[in-house]
Amino acid sequence: MLCLMDSIRDDDPSVQYLLRVLEDAGSLTALLLAAWQVARLLTVCLVEAVLTERARRPTAWPSCPACGVSGRSKGFATRQVTSLFGPIRWRRRVGRCPQGCAIPQVAPFDEALGVQPYQRSSGELQALGCALAVFVPFATAAKLLGSASGVTVSPRAVWSWVQAAGQQAMEQLQAQLQGLAQGHVPTEEPLAAELAAAPLLMGADGVMVPFRPEGGHPRGKTAWHEIKVGVLARLGRHRTRTGKVVTRLWQRRLVAVFGDFEALQRRLWLEAIRQGILRAPQVVWLSDGARGLWRLFEACFTGYATGILDFYHAAQHLWKGAAAWLDGRTSHARRWFAWARHRLRHGMPDGVLADLADALDVEGLPETARETLRTVYTYLERHREHIDYARYKELGFPLGSGMVESACNWLIQQRFKGVGMRWSETGFNHLLHLRLAWVNGHFEALFGVALSPNP
Ligand SMILES: [Zn+2]
């Protein structure tokens, strides 16, 4: 620490210069920014002073992996790492095998500091760069990081940090999925009592993402692929300032995969256990009519959850039926539709189904109209268990899957569908898993750093 005090007092010209800028700063903003420059320099000075002091302590040399003889010092060498506060330099002992084995030079002090060989930027810089890249393009993230840290960061550097951290997140998930497949039940995420008593809402949706053509070549026609996204949340009630009670999603957790429904299903099930599906008082599954999603529901959640078919989606089908049967231009069609929709919503879905069945028996109905009507009837009949809207309303469940869809959409839309963006499968996956780590609250654990100073 002595070096620090000395340099503030007298001779370090860079500190003296920054202090003068600070004294001359006019506006509050200029004052704060000037003080920040001083703080940055002092931080570097402080850290370097501590490192210098520690590096002088005796070194415990590891034994050589080839011959087993304890390593020997070859003297001090300089190490530099770019940090959030500027470049940090320190000198520490490096050693080699005294028998001359062909092993790389070792630096036990770096290892104790958690610095990898060839690592050029420190953990907090990488973590902040990745956090920015979760929300903004790599070039913007690099620029923001550069202006916060005062060092030049290239978009390529941010990109490579994202690749490394995303890969790590994917490996962790793989290990958890494998563990679950072998019967290791994951630990539930802790929940406040009032949230644990709230219903668990689940749902999923597909979102299209633009990818580079096959083979990852940057030119050629964009290949659109569907990313499957699932959401799990506790259904909370929130009273707005005008006194209206609205449904809110708390403890929102997302899963996503560039893959098929089976891949989504395994991830959803893993997260559902973490979110307490085995003990939640009520579980609700909400989705539109997509076949794959309902197959997933039947395969995995039917024993736990009440499935609700999105009401607006069901009503849309009803209108298709009305238009085919009674001619959509007529008031007769509109009247029947309004009546059917009302009964569907208020606990009489069987009446609606009976109407449709009767309509199918009408003679002289054109074959195309009959075809449409049959489709609508089969659709509602197949979902008979999922259209008891009056009961769901009574239980306080939402009837529309809008919340599910917007949560799924947001995960992808906000970052992956910017103008001109096209992804490689690997690049997409790595960033996707970092984004999931962020929204699910695992981000800081992934980097082993706390970006916010509050506990
Ligand atoms: Zn050796």
Side-chain angles (χ1 to χ4, degrees):
M1 306 289 157
L2 283 175
C3 111
L4 172 67
M5 301 315 291
D6 290 346
S7 57
I8 299 177
R9 250 199 315 268
D10 320 300
D11 44 355
D12 190 333
S14 52
V15 177
Q16 294 308 323
Y17 169 74
L18 289 179
L19 288 174
R20 264 201 309 283
V21 173
L22 177 66
E23 276 165 24
D24 295 343
S27 69
L28 178 63
T29 303
L31 194 58
L32 284 163
L33 290 175
W36 189 10
Q37 298 300 328
V38 177
R40 206 140 68 182
L41 196 78
L42 293 186
T43 303
V44 170
C45 209
L46 253 176
V47 170
E48 287 182 348
V50 171
L51 291 176
T52 304
E53 196 272 315
R54 283 196 203 167
R56 284 200 202 106
R57 296 177 193 168
T59 304
W61 294 100
S63 46
C64 167
C67 70
V69 174
S70 188
R72 184 184 296 162
S73 174
K74 302 284 282 179
F76 280 83
T78 304
R79 183 75 162 88
Q80 178 172 324
V81 161
T82 303
S83 81
L84 189 54
F85 310 96
I88 307 267
R89 273 179 216 90
W90 67 96
R91 286 175 63 74
R92 80 287 190 241
R93 286 188 198 96
V94 293
R96 283 198 180 277
C97 170
Q99 310 255 60
C101 293
I103 55 150
Q105 171 177 284
V106 291
F109 184 52
D110 291 358
E111 213 170 295
L113 292 170
V115 177
Q116 306 297 317
Y118 308 109
Q119 184 180 338
R120 290 190 302 182
S121 45
S122 54
E124 81 297 329
L125 187 75
Q126 295 186 11
L128 188 55
C130 288
L132 290 166
V134 161
F135 295 96
V136 295
F138 294 111
T140 314
K143 204 165 177 185
L144 287 170
L145 193 58
S147 62
S149 64
V151 297
T152 308
V153 179
S154 71
R156 184 78 199 171
V158 178
W159 181 86
S160 67
W161 302 337
V162 165
Q163 301 310 304
Q167 179 65 32
Q168 198 192 330
M170 287 176 75
E171 282 166 12
Q172 284 177 6
L173 175 63
Q174 250 350 296
Q176 287 157 356
L177 287 171
Q178 239 163 46
L180 182 61
Q182 286 158 6
H184 303 294
V185 179
T187 354
E188 285 182 23
E189 207 174 309
L191 264 184
E194 79 255 34
L195 284 185
L200 174 65
L201 172 82
M202 302 180 59
D205 201 9
V207 186
M208 300 304 282
V209 169
F211 284 88
R212 288 177 177 183
E214 297 311 320
H217 199 272
R219 298 220 185 120
K221 205 165 174 285
T222 300
W224 289 85
H225 291 291
E226 190 184 56
I227 304 306
K228 298 185 173 69
V229 188
V231 61
L232 305 99
R234 294 290 172 152
L235 258 183
R237 311 194 146 259
H238 172 79
R239 190 177 290 275
T240 65
R241 270 181 295 175
T242 55
K244 204 178 150 207
V245 175
V246 293
T247 319
R248 279 261 176 98
L249 300 186
W250 299 109
Q251 178 103 350
R252 196 185 60 173
R253 297 291 177 259
L254 291 162
V255 299
V257 66
F258 182 172
D260 54 15
F261 280 109
E262 207 266 316
L264 177 69
Q265 182 176 319
R266 291 190 293 136
R267 284 160 175 77
L268 257 180
W269 180 237
L270 174 73
E271 196 57 39
I273 296 178
R274 281 211 200 105
Q275 298 311 316
I277 192 172
L278 303 177
R279 294 190 301 139
Q282 291 160 317
V283 184
V284 186
W285 170 273
L286 250 171
S287 75
D288 67 16
R291 283 283 191 104
L293 292 179
W294 283 100
R295 269 199 293 270
L296 188 159
F297 169 77
E298 301 289 347
C300 226
F301 299 110
T302 187
Y304 300 90
T306 304
I308 302 178
L309 176 70
D310 175 70
F311 175 71
Y312 307 96
H313 206 260
Q316 235 170 40
H317 271 75
L318 267 189
W319 171 249
K320 261 189 230 157
W325 169 29
L326 302 165
D327 184 345
R329 291 161 299 186
T330 62
S331 61
H332 190 189
R334 282 196 298 276
R335 264 202 314 277
W336 181 81
F337 168 67
W339 170 228
R341 188 179 188 278
H342 178 88
R343 280 180 294 166
L344 186 65
R345 168 68 183 76
H346 294 284
M348 292 165 275
D350 292 324
V352 177
L353 277 167
D355 275 13
L356 291 170
D358 287 348
L360 276 169
D361 285 342
V362 171
E363 277 180 35
L365 197 64
E367 201 38 52
T368 50
R370 193 181 299 279
E371 193 62 33
T372 308
L373 263 182
R374 198 176 290 120
T375 309
V376 174
Y377 179 84
T378 320
Y379 171 79
L380 288 176
E381 227 261 321
R382 194 172 60 233
H383 281 295
R384 178 61 194 85
E385 296 285 302
H386 315 133
I387 56 175
D388 283 321
Y389 297 108
R391 185 164 68 86
Y392 309 144
K393 193 76 196 169
E394 220 173 85
L395 290 165
F397 298 159
L399 307 185
S401 53
M403 274 189 290
V404 167
E405 277 142 30
S406 55
C408 295
N409 219 347
W410 172 85
L411 179 77
I412 301 299
Q413 195 78 32
Q414 191 271 333
R415 179 65 179 90
F416 293 104
K417 295 174 84 168
V419 174
M421 279 183 190
R422 296 202 306 176
W423 299 87
S424 71
E425 184 172 341
T426 315
F428 170 82
N429 269 329
H430 288 152
L431 184 56
L432 175 70
H433 284 81
L434 266 199
R435 210 167 146 77
L436 286 169
W438 183 276
V439 300
N440 292 338
H442 310 313
F443 188 85
E444 296 191 338
L446 192 62
F447 285 88
V449 298
L451 288 174
S452 53
N454 305 322

